[in-house]
Coordinates of all heavy atoms in Angstrom, one line a residue:
M1470 N 0.8 -1.2 0.0 CA -0.1 0.0 0.0 C 0.9 1.3 0.0 O 1.8 1.4 0.8 CB -0.9 0.1 1.2 CG -2.1 -0.9 1.1 SD -3.4 -0.6 2.3 CE -2.7 0.1 3.7
N1471 N 0.5 2.2 -0.9 CA 1.3 3.4 -1.0 C 0.6 4.5 -0.2 O -0.6 5.0 -0.5 CB 1.5 3.8 -2.4 CG 2.4 4.9 -2.5 OD1 2.9 5.4 -1.6 ND2 2.7 5.2 -3.8
K1472 N 1.1 4.9 0.9 CA 0.4 5.9 1.8 C 0.5 7.3 1.2 O -0.5 8.1 1.5 CB 1.1 6.0 3.2 CG 1.1 4.7 3.9 CD -0.3 4.3 4.4 CE -0.2 3.0 5.2 NZ -1.5 2.4 5.5
N1473 N 1.4 7.6 0.3 CA 1.4 8.8 -0.4 C 0.2 9.1 -1.2 O -0.4 10.2 -1.3 CB 2.7 9.1 -1.2 CG 3.9 9.2 -0.4 OD1 3.8 9.6 0.8 ND2 5.1 8.9 -0.9
D1474 N -0.3 8.0 -1.9 CA -1.5 8.1 -2.8 C -2.7 8.4 -2.0 O -3.6 9.2 -2.3 CB -1.6 6.8 -3.6 CG -0.6 6.8 -4.7 OD1 -0.1 7.8 -5.1 OD2 -0.5 5.6 -5.3
L1475 N -2.7 7.8 -0.8 CA -3.9 8.0 0.2 C -3.9 9.4 0.6 O -5.0 10.1 0.7 CB -3.7 7.0 1.4 CG -5.0 7.1 2.3 CD1 -6.2 6.5 1.7 CD2 -4.6 6.4 3.6
V1476 N -2.8 10.0 1.0 CA -2.7 11.5 1.4 C -3.1 12.3 0.2 O -3.8 13.3 0.4 CB -1.3 11.7 2.0 CG1 -1.2 13.2 2.2 CG2 -1.0 10.9 3.3
W1477 N -2.6 12.0 -0.9 CA -2.9 12.8 -2.1 C -4.4 12.7 -2.4 O -4.9 13.7 -2.8 CB -2.1 12.4 -3.3 CG -0.7 13.0 -3.4 CD1 0.4 12.3 -3.2 CD2 -0.3 14.3 -3.6 NE1 1.5 13.2 -3.3 CE2 1.0 14.4 -3.6 CE3 -1.1 15.5 -3.8 CZ2 1.7 15.6 -3.7 CZ3 -0.4 16.7 -4.0 CH2 1.0 16.8 -3.9
G1478 N -4.9 11.6 -2.2 CA -6.4 11.4 -2.4 C -7.2 12.2 -1.5 O -8.2 12.9 -1.8
I1479 N -6.7 12.4 -0.2 CA -7.5 13.2 0.8 C -7.3 14.7 0.4 O -8.4 15.4 0.5 CB -6.9 13.0 2.2 CG1 -7.2 11.5 2.7 CG2 -7.4 13.9 3.1 CD1 -6.5 11.0 4.0
L1480 N -6.2 15.1 0.0 CA -5.9 16.5 -0.4 C -6.8 16.8 -1.6 O -7.5 17.8 -1.7 CB -4.5 16.7 -0.7 CG -3.7 16.8 0.5 CD1 -2.1 17.0 0.0 CD2 -4.0 17.9 1.4
V1481 N -6.9 15.9 -2.6 CA -7.7 16.1 -3.8 C -9.2 16.1 -3.4 O -9.9 17.0 -3.9 CB -7.5 14.9 -4.8 CG1 -8.5 14.9 -5.9 CG2 -6.1 15.1 -5.5
G1482 N -9.6 15.3 -2.5 CA -11.0 15.4 -2.0 C -11.4 16.7 -1.3 O -12.4 17.3 -1.6
F1483 N -10.5 17.2 -0.5 CA -10.8 18.5 0.2 C -10.7 19.6 -0.8 O -11.6 20.5 -0.8 CB -9.8 18.7 1.3 CG -10.1 18.0 2.6 CD1 -9.2 17.1 3.1 CD2 -11.4 18.2 3.2 CE1 -9.5 16.5 4.4 CE2 -11.6 17.5 4.4 CZ -10.8 16.7 4.9
L1484 N -9.8 19.5 -1.7 CA -9.6 20.7 -2.7 C -10.9 20.7 -3.7 O -11.3 21.8 -4.0 CB -8.3 20.6 -3.5 CG -7.2 21.0 -2.7 CD1 -5.9 20.7 -3.5 CD2 -7.2 22.4 -2.3
T1485 N -11.3 19.5 -4.1 CA -12.4 19.5 -5.1 C -13.7 19.9 -4.4 O -14.6 20.5 -5.0 CB -12.6 18.1 -5.7 OG1 -12.6 17.2 -4.7 CG2 -11.4 17.9 -6.7
T1486 N -13.8 19.6 -3.1 CA -15.0 20.0 -2.3 C -14.9 21.5 -2.2 O -16.0 22.3 -2.4 CB -15.1 19.3 -1.0 OG1 -15.1 18.0 -1.0 CG2 -16.3 19.8 -0.2
L1487 N -13.8 22.1 -1.9 CA -13.7 23.6 -1.9 C -14.0 24.3 -3.2 O -14.6 25.3 -3.2 CB -12.3 23.9 -1.4 CG -12.0 25.4 -1.2 CD1 -12.8 25.9 0.0 CD2 -10.5 25.6 -0.9
V1488 N -13.5 23.6 -4.3 CA -13.8 24.2 -5.7 C -15.3 24.0 -5.9 O -15.8 25.1 -6.4 CB -12.9 23.4 -6.7 CG1 -13.4 23.8 -8.1 CG2 -11.4 23.8 -6.5
G1489 N -15.9 23.0 -5.6 CA -17.3 22.8 -5.8 C -18.1 23.9 -5.1 O -19.1 24.4 -5.5
C1490 N -17.8 24.1 -3.8 CA -18.4 25.2 -2.9 C -18.2 26.5 -3.6 O -19.1 27.4 -3.7 CB -17.9 25.2 -1.5 SG -18.3 23.7 -0.5
Y1491 N -17.0 26.8 -4.1 CA -16.7 28.1 -4.7 C -17.6 28.3 -5.9 O -18.2 29.3 -6.2 CB -15.3 28.2 -5.0 CG -14.8 29.4 -5.9 CD1 -14.7 30.7 -5.2 CD2 -14.7 29.3 -7.2 CE1 -14.4 31.8 -5.9 CE2 -14.4 30.5 -7.9 CZ -14.2 31.6 -7.3 OH -14.0 32.8 -8.0
L1492 N -17.6 27.2 -6.8 CA -18.5 27.3 -8.0 C -19.9 27.5 -7.7 O -20.5 28.3 -8.4 CB -18.2 26.1 -8.8 CG -16.8 25.9 -9.6 CD1 -16.7 24.5 -10.2 CD2 -16.5 27.1 -10.5
F1493 N -20.4 26.8 -6.7 CA -21.8 27.0 -6.4 C -22.1 28.4 -5.8 O -23.1 29.0 -6.3 CB -22.2 25.9 -5.3 CG -23.7 26.1 -5.0 CD1 -24.7 25.5 -5.8 CD2 -24.0 26.8 -3.8 CE1 -26.1 25.7 -5.5 CE2 -25.4 26.9 -3.5 CZ -26.4 26.3 -4.3
I1494 N -21.3 28.9 -5.0 CA -21.6 30.3 -4.4 C -21.4 31.3 -5.5 O -22.1 32.3 -5.6 CB -20.7 30.5 -3.2 CG1 -21.1 29.6 -2.0 CG2 -20.7 32.0 -2.8 CD1 -20.2 29.7 -0.9
T1495 N -20.4 31.1 -6.4 CA -20.1 32.1 -7.5 C -21.3 32.2 -8.4 O -21.7 33.2 -8.8 CB -18.8 31.9 -8.1 OG1 -17.8 31.8 -7.1 CG2 -18.5 32.8 -9.2
F1496 N -21.7 31.0 -9.0 CA -22.7 30.9 -10.0 C -24.1 31.0 -9.6 O -25.0 31.5 -10.3 CB -22.5 29.7 -10.8 CG -21.3 29.7 -11.6 CD1 -20.4 28.6 -11.6 CD2 -20.9 30.7 -12.5 CE1 -19.2 28.6 -12.4 CE2 -19.7 30.7 -13.2 CZ -19.0 29.7 -13.2
F1497 N -24.5 30.6 -8.3 CA -25.8 30.5 -8.0 C -26.3 31.5 -6.9 O -27.4 31.4 -6.5 CB -26.3 29.1 -7.6 CG -26.1 28.1 -8.6 CD1 -25.0 27.1 -8.6 CD2 -26.9 28.1 -9.7 CE1 -25.0 26.2 -9.7 CE2 -26.9 27.2 -10.8 CZ -25.9 26.2 -10.7
T1498 N -25.4 32.3 -6.5 CA -25.7 33.4 -5.5 C -25.2 34.8 -6.0 O -24.3 34.8 -6.9 CB -25.2 33.1 -4.1 OG1 -23.7 33.1 -4.1 CG2 -25.6 31.8 -3.6
D1499 N -25.6 35.7 -5.4 CA -25.1 37.1 -5.7 C -24.0 37.5 -5.0 O -23.5 38.7 -5.1 CB -26.3 38.1 -5.7 CG -27.4 37.8 -6.6 OD1 -27.1 37.3 -7.7 OD2 -28.5 38.2 -6.3
F1500 N -23.4 36.6 -4.1 CA -22.3 37.0 -3.2 C -21.0 36.6 -3.8 O -21.0 35.7 -4.5 CB -22.5 36.3 -1.8 CG -23.9 36.5 -1.2 CD1 -24.6 35.3 -1.0 CD2 -24.3 37.7 -0.9 CE1 -25.9 35.5 -0.4 CE2 -25.6 38.0 -0.3 CZ -26.3 36.8 -0.1
Q1501 N -20.0 37.2 -3.3 CA -18.6 36.8 -3.5 C -18.3 35.6 -2.6 O -19.1 35.4 -1.6 CB -17.6 37.9 -3.3 CG -17.8 39.0 -4.5 CD -16.7 39.9 -4.4 OE1 -15.7 39.9 -3.5 NE2 -16.7 40.9 -5.3
F1502 N -17.2 34.8 -2.8 CA -17.0 33.6 -2.0 C -17.0 33.8 -0.5 O -17.7 33.2 0.2 CB -15.8 32.9 -2.6 CG -15.6 31.6 -1.9 CD1 -16.5 30.5 -2.0 CD2 -14.4 31.4 -1.1 CE1 -16.2 29.4 -1.5 CE2 -14.2 30.1 -0.4 CZ -15.0 29.1 -0.6
I1503 N -16.0 34.6 0.0 CA -15.9 34.8 1.4 C -17.1 35.4 2.1 O -17.6 34.9 3.1 CB -14.6 35.6 1.7 CG1 -13.4 35.1 1.1 CG2 -14.4 35.9 3.3 CD1 -13.0 33.6 1.8
I1504 N -17.7 36.4 1.5 CA -18.9 37.0 2.1 C -20.1 36.1 2.0 O -20.8 36.0 3.0 CB -19.2 38.3 1.3 CG1 -18.1 39.3 1.5 CG2 -20.5 38.9 1.8 CD1 -18.1 40.6 0.6
G1505 N -20.1 35.3 1.0 CA -21.2 34.2 0.8 C -21.1 33.2 1.9 O -22.1 32.8 2.5
I1506 N -19.8 32.7 2.2 CA -19.6 31.7 3.2 C -20.1 32.3 4.6 O -20.8 31.6 5.3 CB -18.2 31.4 3.3 CG1 -17.7 30.6 2.1 CG2 -17.9 30.5 4.5 CD1 -18.3 29.1 2.1
Q1507 N -19.8 33.6 4.8 CA -20.2 34.1 6.2 C -21.7 34.3 6.2 O -22.3 34.0 7.3 CB -19.6 35.5 6.3 CG -18.1 35.5 6.5 CD -17.4 36.8 6.4 OE1 -18.0 37.7 6.1 NE2 -16.1 36.9 6.7
I1508 N -22.3 34.7 5.1 CA -23.8 34.9 5.2 C -24.5 33.5 5.3 O -25.5 33.3 6.0 CB -24.3 35.6 3.9 CG1 -23.7 37.1 4.0 CG2 -25.7 35.6 3.8 CD1 -24.0 37.9 2.8
I1509 N -24.0 32.5 4.5 CA -24.7 31.2 4.6 C -24.4 30.5 5.9 O -25.3 29.9 6.4 CB -24.1 30.4 3.4 CG1 -24.6 30.8 2.1 CG2 -24.4 28.9 3.6 CD1 -23.9 30.4 0.9
K1510 N -23.3 30.8 6.5 CA -23.0 30.3 7.9 C -24.0 30.8 8.9 O -24.5 30.2 9.8 CB -21.6 30.4 8.3 CG -21.2 29.7 9.6 CD -19.8 29.8 10.0 CE -19.5 29.1 11.3 NZ -18.2 29.3 11.8
A1511 N -24.2 32.1 8.7 CA -25.1 32.9 9.7 C -26.5 32.4 9.5 O -27.3 32.3 10.5 CB -25.0 34.4 9.4
Q1512 N -26.8 31.9 8.3 CA -28.2 31.4 8.1 C -28.4 29.9 8.5 O -29.4 29.4 8.6 CB -28.6 31.6 6.6 CG -28.7 32.9 6.0 CD -28.9 32.9 4.5 OE1 -28.7 32.0 3.9 NE2 -29.3 34.1 4.1
G1513 N -27.3 29.3 8.8 CA -27.2 27.9 9.2 C -27.3 26.9 8.0 O -27.6 25.7 8.2
N1514 N -26.9 27.3 6.9 CA -27.0 26.5 5.7 C -25.6 26.0 5.1 O -25.4 25.6 4.0 CB -27.7 27.2 4.5 CG -29.2 27.3 4.8 OD1 -29.7 26.6 5.6 ND2 -29.8 28.4 4.3
L1515 N -24.5 26.2 5.9 CA -23.2 25.9 5.5 C -23.0 24.4 5.2 O -22.4 24.0 4.2 CB -22.1 26.3 6.5 CG -20.7 26.3 6.0 CD1 -20.5 27.1 4.8 CD2 -19.8 26.7 7.2
G1516 N -23.6 23.5 6.0 CA -23.5 22.1 5.7 C -24.1 21.8 4.4 O -23.6 20.8 3.7
K1517 N -25.2 22.3 3.9 CA -25.8 22.1 2.7 C -24.9 22.5 1.5 O -24.8 21.8 0.5 CB -27.1 22.9 2.5 CG -28.2 22.3 3.6 CD -29.4 23.1 3.5 CE -30.4 22.6 4.6 NZ -31.6 23.4 4.7
I1518 N -24.2 23.7 1.7 CA -23.3 24.1 0.7 C -22.1 23.1 0.4 O -21.7 22.8 -0.6 CB -22.8 25.5 0.9 CG1 -23.9 26.5 1.0 CG2 -21.7 26.0 0.0 CD1 -24.7 26.6 -0.4
I1519 N -21.6 22.6 1.7 CA -20.5 21.6 1.6 C -21.0 20.3 0.9 O -20.2 19.8 0.1 CB -20.0 21.4 3.0 CG1 -19.3 22.6 3.6 CG2 -19.0 20.2 3.0 CD1 -18.8 22.6 5.1
T1520 N -22.3 20.0 1.2 CA -22.8 18.7 0.5 C -22.8 19.0 -1.0 O -22.5 18.1 -1.7 CB -24.1 18.5 1.1 OG1 -24.0 18.3 2.5 CG2 -24.7 17.3 0.5
L1521 N -23.3 20.1 -1.4 CA -23.4 20.4 -2.9 C -22.0 20.5 -3.4 O -21.8 20.1 -4.6 CB -24.1 21.7 -3.1 CG -25.7 21.7 -2.8 CD1 -26.2 23.0 -3.0 CD2 -26.2 20.8 -3.8
G1522 N -21.0 21.0 -2.6 CA -19.6 21.1 -3.3 C -19.0 19.7 -3.3 O -18.1 19.4 -4.2
S1523 N -19.5 18.7 -2.6 CA -19.0 17.4 -2.7 C -19.3 16.5 -3.9 O -18.8 15.5 -4.2 CB -19.5 16.6 -1.5 OG -18.8 17.1 -0.3
I1524 N -20.3 17.1 -4.7 CA -20.7 16.4 -5.9 C -19.6 16.4 -6.9 O -19.3 15.4 -7.5 CB -22.0 17.2 -6.5 CG1 -23.2 17.0 -5.6 CG2 -22.2 16.7 -7.9 CD1 -24.4 17.8 -6.1
L1525 N -18.8 17.5 -7.0 CA -17.6 17.4 -7.8 C -16.6 16.4 -7.3 O -15.9 15.8 -8.2 CB -17.0 18.9 -7.8 CG -15.9 19.1 -8.7 CD1 -16.3 19.0 -10.2 CD2 -15.4 20.6 -8.6
T1526 N -16.5 16.1 -6.1 CA -15.6 15.2 -5.6 C -15.9 13.8 -6.0 O -15.1 13.0 -6.2 CB -15.6 15.3 -3.9 OG1 -15.3 16.5 -3.6 CG2 -14.5 14.3 -3.4
L1527 N -17.2 13.5 -6.1 CA -17.7 12.1 -6.6 C -17.3 12.0 -8.0 O -17.0 10.8 -8.4 CB -19.2 12.0 -6.4 CG -19.7 12.1 -4.9 CD1 -21.2 12.1 -4.8 CD2 -19.0 10.9 -4.2
I1528 N -17.4 13.0 -8.8 CA -16.9 12.9 -10.1 C -15.4 12.6 -10.3 O -15.0 11.6 -11.0 CB -17.2 14.2 -10.9 CG1 -18.7 14.5 -11.0 CG2 -16.6 14.2 -12.3 CD1 -19.1 15.8 -11.5
V1529 N -14.6 13.2 -9.4 CA -13.2 12.9 -9.4 C -13.0 11.4 -8.9 O -12.1 10.8 -9.4 CB -12.4 13.9 -8.4 CG1 -11.0 13.5 -8.1 CG2 -12.5 15.3 -9.0
F1530 N -13.8 11.0 -7.9 CA -13.6 9.6 -7.4 C -13.9 8.7 -8.6 O -13.1 7.7 -8.8 CB -14.7 9.3 -6.4 CG -14.8 7.9 -6.0 CD1 -13.8 7.4 -5.1 CD2 -15.9 7.1 -6.3 CE1 -13.9 6.0 -4.7 CE2 -15.9 5.8 -5.9 CZ -15.0 5.3 -5.1
G1531 N -14.9 8.8 -9.5 CA -15.1 8.0 -10.7 C -13.9 8.1 -11.7 O -13.6 7.1 -12.2
I1532 N -13.4 9.2 -11.9 CA -12.2 9.3 -12.7 C -11.0 8.6 -12.2 O -10.3 7.9 -13.0 CB -11.8 10.8 -13.0 CG1 -13.0 11.5 -13.7 CG2 -10.5 11.0 -13.7 CD1 -12.9 13.0 -13.9
L1533 N -10.8 8.7 -10.9 CA -9.6 8.0 -10.3 C -9.8 6.5 -10.4 O -8.8 5.7 -10.6 CB -9.5 8.4 -8.8 CG -8.9 9.8 -8.5 CD1 -8.9 10.1 -7.1 CD2 -7.5 9.9 -9.1
L1534 N -11.1 6.0 -10.3 CA -11.3 4.5 -10.4 C -11.0 4.2 -11.9 O -10.5 3.0 -12.2 CB -12.7 4.2 -10.0 CG -12.9 4.1 -8.5 CD1 -14.4 3.8 -8.3 CD2 -12.0 3.2 -7.8
K1535 N -11.4 5.0 -12.9 CA -11.2 4.6 -14.2 C -9.7 4.6 -14.5 O -9.3 3.7 -15.4 CB -11.8 5.7 -15.2 CG -13.2 5.6 -15.4 CD -13.4 4.9 -16.7 CE -14.8 5.1 -17.1 NZ -15.3 4.0 -17.9
M1536 N -8.9 5.4 -13.8 CA -7.4 5.4 -14.1 C -6.7 4.4 -13.2 O -5.4 4.4 -13.2 CB -6.9 6.8 -13.8 CG -7.4 7.9 -14.7 SD -7.0 9.6 -14.1 CE -5.2 9.4 -13.8
N1537 N -7.5 3.5 -12.5 CA -6.8 2.4 -11.7 C -6.0 3.1 -10.6 O -5.0 2.5 -10.3 CB -6.0 1.4 -12.5 CG -7.0 0.5 -13.4 OD1 -8.1 0.3 -13.0 ND2 -6.5 0.2 -14.5
K1538 N -6.4 4.1 -10.0 CA -5.8 4.8 -8.8 C -6.6 4.5 -7.6 O -7.3 5.4 -7.0 CB -5.6 6.3 -9.0 CG -4.8 6.7 -10.2 CD -3.3 6.6 -9.9 CE -2.6 7.2 -11.1 NZ -1.2 7.2 -10.9
E1539 N -6.6 3.2 -7.2 CA -7.5 2.8 -6.1 C -7.2 3.5 -4.7 O -8.1 3.8 -4.0 CB -7.4 1.3 -5.9 CG -8.3 0.5 -7.0 CD -7.4 0.3 -8.2 OE1 -6.1 0.5 -8.1 OE2 -8.0 -0.1 -9.3
M1540 N -5.9 3.6 -4.5 CA -5.5 4.2 -3.1 C -5.9 5.7 -3.1 O -6.4 6.2 -2.1 CB -4.0 4.1 -3.0 CG -3.6 2.7 -2.5 SD -4.6 2.1 -1.1 CE -3.8 3.1 0.3
M1541 N -5.7 6.5 -4.2 CA -6.1 7.8 -4.3 C -7.7 7.9 -4.1 O -8.2 8.8 -3.5 CB -5.7 8.4 -5.6 CG -4.2 8.8 -5.6 SD -3.7 9.7 -6.9 CE -4.3 11.3 -6.7
A1542 N -8.4 7.0 -4.7 CA -9.8 6.9 -4.7 C -10.3 6.6 -3.2 O -11.2 7.3 -2.8 CB -10.4 5.9 -5.7
R1543 N -9.6 5.9 -2.6 CA -9.8 5.6 -1.1 C -9.6 6.9 -0.3 O -10.4 7.2 0.6 CB -8.9 4.5 -0.6 CG -9.4 3.2 -0.6 CD -8.5 2.2 0.2 NE -8.6 1.0 -0.4 CZ -7.9 -0.1 -0.1 NH1 -7.0 0.0 0.9 NH2 -8.1 -1.2 -0.7
G1544 N -8.6 7.6 -0.7 CA -8.4 8.9 0.0 C -9.5 9.9 -0.2 O -9.9 10.6 0.7
V1545 N -10.0 9.9 -1.4 CA -11.1 10.8 -1.7 C -12.4 10.4 -0.9 O -13.0 11.3 -0.3 CB -11.4 10.8 -3.2 CG1 -12.8 11.5 -3.5 CG2 -10.3 11.4 -4.0
V1546 N -12.6 9.1 -0.8 CA -13.7 8.7 0.1 C -13.5 9.0 1.5 O -14.4 9.5 2.2 CB -14.0 7.1 -0.2 CG1 -14.9 6.5 0.9 CG2 -14.4 6.8 -1.5
L1547 N -12.2 8.9 2.0 CA -11.9 9.2 3.4 C -12.1 10.8 3.6 O -12.7 11.2 4.6 CB -10.5 8.9 3.7 CG -10.0 9.1 5.1 CD1 -10.9 8.4 6.1 CD2 -8.6 8.7 5.3
A1548 N -11.9 11.5 2.6 CA -12.0 13.0 2.7 C -13.5 13.3 2.7 O -13.9 14.2 3.5 CB -11.4 13.7 1.4
I1549 N -14.3 12.6 2.0 CA -15.8 12.8 2.1 C -16.2 12.5 3.5 O -17.1 13.1 4.1 CB -16.5 12.0 0.9 CG1 -16.2 12.6 -0.4 CG2 -18.0 12.0 1.2 CD1 -16.7 11.8 -1.5
I1550 N -15.8 11.3 4.0 CA -16.2 10.9 5.4 C -15.8 12.0 6.4 O -16.6 12.3 7.3 CB -15.7 9.5 5.7 CG1 -16.3 8.5 4.8 CG2 -15.8 9.2 7.2 CD1 -15.6 7.2 4.9
L1551 N -14.5 12.5 6.3 CA -14.1 13.5 7.2 C -14.9 14.9 7.1 O -15.3 15.5 8.0 CB -12.6 13.9 7.0 CG -11.6 12.7 7.3 CD1 -10.2 13.1 6.9 CD2 -11.7 12.5 8.8
M1552 N -15.3 15.2 5.8 CA -16.3 16.3 5.5 C -17.5 16.2 6.1 O -18.1 17.1 6.7 CB -16.3 16.6 4.1 CG -15.2 17.3 3.4 SD -15.2 19.0 4.0 CE -14.2 19.7 2.9
T1553 N -18.1 14.9 6.2 CA -19.3 14.6 6.7 C -19.2 14.9 8.3 O -20.1 15.5 8.8 CB -19.7 13.2 6.5 OG1 -19.8 13.0 5.1 CG2 -21.1 12.9 7.1
V1554 N -18.2 14.3 8.9 CA -18.0 14.5 10.3 C -17.8 16.0 10.7 O -18.4 16.5 11.6 CB -16.9 13.7 10.9 CG1 -16.5 14.0 12.3 CG2 -17.2 12.3 10.7
L1555 N -17.0 16.7 9.8 CA -16.9 18.1 10.0 C -18.2 18.9 9.9 O -18.4 19.9 10.7 CB -15.8 18.6 9.0 CG -15.5 20.1 9.0 CD1 -14.6 20.5 10.2 CD2 -14.7 20.5 7.7
T1556 N -19.0 18.5 9.0 CA -20.2 19.2 8.7 C -21.2 19.1 9.9 O -21.9 19.9 10.3 CB -20.9 18.7 7.4 OG1 -20.0 18.8 6.3 CG2 -22.2 19.4 7.2
L1557 N -21.1 17.9 10.6 CA -21.9 17.7 11.8 C -21.6 18.6 13.0 O -22.5 19.0 13.7 CB -21.7 16.2 12.2 CG -22.4 15.2 11.4 CD1 -21.9 13.8 11.9 CD2 -23.9 15.3 11.4
F1558 N -20.3 19.0 13.0 CA -19.9 19.9 14.1 C -19.9 21.4 13.8 O -19.7 22.2 14.7 CB -18.5 19.5 14.6 CG -18.5 18.2 15.2 CD1 -17.8 17.1 14.7 CD2 -19.2 18.0 16.5 CE1 -17.9 15.8 15.3 CE2 -19.2 16.7 17.1 CZ -18.5 15.6 16.5
I1559 N -20.2 21.7 12.6 CA -20.3 23.2 12.2 C -21.6 23.7 12.6 O -22.6 23.3 12.4 CB -20.0 23.4 10.6 CG1 -18.5 23.1 10.4 CG2 -20.3 24.7 10.2 CD1 -18.1 23.2 9.0

C-alpha cells in the first residue's frame, strides 16, 4: 500500500469540495465567495453548501477509479467521510 497516494487522495478530496463550494456560491448566489460563506453560515446552511460542493468530488472519484488509482480513490472517500463529520460539528 502506498500511503502517499492515500494522502494525495485526501488532499484532492478536500480541494475538489472547496472548488465545488466556490463554483456553487459564485454561479448560484449574488455574493462573492468569502462574504457568501459568512452569510450562509449565519443562516445555518453551510452544511448544505458543503454537501453540494462534494458532488464534484464524486466525479473525481469516478475518474480515479477509471485510471486504476484505487488508493487515491480511497483517500477521496476518506475526505468525504471527514467532511461529513466536520459538517456535523459546524
Side-chain angles (χ1 to χ4, degrees):
M1470 280 195 335
N1471 192 355
K1472 301 292 182 184
N1473 288 336
D1474 285 342
L1475 185 69
V1476 172
W1477 278 111
I1479 292 171
L1480 291 174
V1481 166
F1483 280 122
L1484 287 175
T1485 54
T1486 301
L1487 183 67
V1488 169
C1490 291
Y1491 175 78
L1492 291 174
F1493 180 79
I1494 290 173
T1495 302
F1496 289 132
F1497 295 110
T1498 65
D1499 295 330
F1500 309 120
Q1501 293 187 0
F1502 182 64
I1503 300 297
I1504 296 169
I1506 291 288
Q1507 292 171 350
I1508 291 171
I1509 290 169
K1510 184 176 180 183
Q1512 293 175 349
N1514 293 328
L1515 188 59
K1517 295 175 185 176
I1518 298 301
I1519 292 172
T1520 303
L1521 289 171
S1523 294
I1524 293 172
L1525 188 62
T1526 307
L1527 295 174
I1528 294 169
V1529 170
F1530 174 74
I1532 291 170
L1533 287 172
L1534 284 180
K1535 279 262 196 212
M1536 294 172 51
N1537 292 325
K1538 301 278 188 177
E1539 286 85 15
M1540 286 305 288
M1541 284 183 78
R1543 268 189 210 175
V1545 169
V1546 170
L1547 185 59
I1549 291 175
I1550 292 170
L1551 291 173
M1552 279 292 195
T1553 303
V1554 172
L1555 179 72
T1556 303
L1557 289 174
F1558 292 113
I1559 289 182

